[in-house]
Amino acid sequence: MAQQTSAKRIAVNEVINLATNNLQYTINNQQIAKGTLQINTATAFAKTGVFAENEDLRPSDNKGILKVGVSQTIAWPGLYKAQKNLYGEQIKYYQANTAAIDVQIKKEVREVYYQLWYLQDKQKLFERLDSIYKSLRSAAILKVKTGDSPGLDSIAANVRMMELQAMLQQINNDVKIQQQVLMQLLNTAEAMLPLPSPLEKLTMPVTPADSLHPLLALQTQNINISNAAISIIKNENKPDFSGRFFSQRLWGASDPFTGFSVSAAFPLFGATAYRNKVKVAAADVLLQQKQLDYSKQLLNNQQLQAQQQVQRNKTMLSFYETAGLKQANEIIKASSLAYRAGEISFAEFSQFLTQAIEVQKNYLENLNAYNQSVIQYYYYINQ
């Protein structure tokens, strides 16, 4: 069809490579860039104060001593280090998230690509059937002209052809929808289609890849972030330091007063609240650990279910591969010859043809279901 013939034909591995243009990568990379810049803010001190005071007044000296200087407050040094560590752990989260995006997008691209491939083969099947009915209609018209048939066969063939045309249009619409999904995943305006070859059967890996699933790596990093947050809260409970320096030399006094002061602020009050803040942060670490345990359990169960679904789909697919397809082709060939020879009626031929096409359609549906279940399994084993 016009929309499909203008689409670019591409292999599945090429499509997966193009998926690096997906906007999720851009967003995640921006998060990493943001985090890298944020690390540089970890050692930011409080604002430097400028003060002017005259507090040394007495009845005999109403001029006092004018002091102009600067003041600075500094947090406990460990707090800056803890803050920098927290920002670093947050960057590691988004760095690990790249792998999570990889495995998710790879799964989605494969799902859409193989769905398109299935629709492509289904379309070819219906076009083949349409061609058969066109040929039969011509034969039926010839029989009417020679007086061998009252014309019912050609009417039935026409009705069947119209039905097939509607089905083909429906498939074409489904193809357009899947192409739109694929274009969104690849972040492109170019329509694409699978290679013009029969739908392939995906293979199951002999042994699963022995690697931590990216989702578990992300959750593990959440634990690291929570631990880093504990360090910040503990350092917030340490003393703050402040210092002041002044000198009348700043405005050129001939006999200037100069001085400084240093002070430390201790959390004398609210100690219980600080301890509770640490407990809350520790509880969050435990929560993240439990979430990791649950995620491991969930992924393991989902992997087993995906594996069982593959075996379930494989059982039915084996029937079509070993016997069903061969028998369907034989039925089409034998019934077509029999009808042309006048050995069976059009109604009988149509019944045989419908049975054979149904087998071929069921084969494609089962092959598609099998492939989709294998794609799910690939996701859980990080392939």
Side-chain angles (χ1 to χ4, degrees), residues 2-10 116 175-176 178-180 182-183 186 188-194:
Q3 180 270 340
Q4 294 190 28
T5 54
S6 61
K8 180 181 179 180
R9 297 282 181 176
I10 189 169
L116 271 171
V175 167
K176 290 179 180 179
Q178 294 302 315
Q179 284 181 313
Q180 288 293 330
L182 187 60
M183 285 189 286
L186 304 183
T188 181
E190 185 177 20
M192 297 183 186
L193 279 174

Side-chain angles (χ1 to χ4, degrees), residues 216 219-220 223 288-296:
L216 299 181
Q219 188 54 37
T220 300
I223 296 175
Q288 297 299 335
Q289 181 61 55
K290 294 299 181 183
Q291 183 62 49
L292 175 61
D293 295 340
Y294 173 72
S295 297
K296 286 180 179 178

Side-chain angles (χ1 to χ4, degrees), residues 8-20 105-106 109-110 113-114 117 182 186 192-195 200 202 378 383:
K8 180 181 179 180
R9 297 282 181 176
I10 189 169
V12 63
N13 289 335
E14 294 179 75
V15 175
I16 291 174
N17 290 335
L18 290 174
T20 53
I105 290 182
K106 189 182 293 184
V109 168
R110 281 175 173 157
Y113 185 91
Y114 276 85
W117 207 345
L182 187 60
L186 304 183
M192 297 183 186
L193 279 174
L195 297 177
E200 71 173 18
L202 285 172
Y378 282 172
Q383 282 197 2

Side-chain angles (χ1 to χ4, degrees), residues 2 7 17 35 38 83 92 132 159 164 177 194 196 209 226 262 303 319:
N17 290 335
Q38 192 175 34
Q83 188 69 57
K92 290 178 183 178
I132 292 174
V159 171
L164 285 169
I177 292 171
S226 294
V262 177
Q303 179 181 331
F319 158 72

Side-chain angles (χ1 to χ4, degrees), residues 262-363:
V262 177
S263 61
F266 298 89
L268 298 179
F269 305 101
T272 300
Y274 273 113
R275 286 196 296 269
N276 286 332
K277 287 176 69 175
V278 173
K279 289 179 181 179
V280 170
D284 186 64
V285 173
L286 182 59
L287 172 64
Q288 297 299 335
Q289 181 61 55
K290 294 299 181 183
Q291 183 62 49
L292 175 61
D293 295 340
Y294 173 72
S295 297
K296 286 180 179 178
Q297 184 186 69
L298 183 63
L299 280 172
N300 286 335
N301 288 335
Q302 289 175 335
Q303 179 181 331
L304 288 174
Q305 291 173 17
Q307 189 174 13
Q308 291 166 357
Q309 187 64 37
V310 170
Q311 294 302 319
R312 178 178 177 275
N313 291 332
K314 185 178 180 181
T315 300
M316 197 63 192
L317 185 60
S318 296
F319 158 72
Y320 293 106
E321 291 175 332
T322 57
L325 284 179
K326 182 179 179 181
Q327 292 174 358
N329 289 327
E330 290 175 352
I331 289 173
I332 293 174
K333 183 178 180 180
S335 59
S336 296
L337 291 174
Y339 174 71
R340 292 179 182 279
E343 297 173 0
I344 61 174
S345 66
F346 182 84
E348 291 173 313
F349 168 71
S350 184
Q351 183 178 358
F352 286 128
L353 192 58
T354 299
Q355 178 185 357
I357 294 299
E358 189 69 19
V359 170
Q360 293 179 334
K361 183 166 72 71
N362 288 341
Y363 161 72

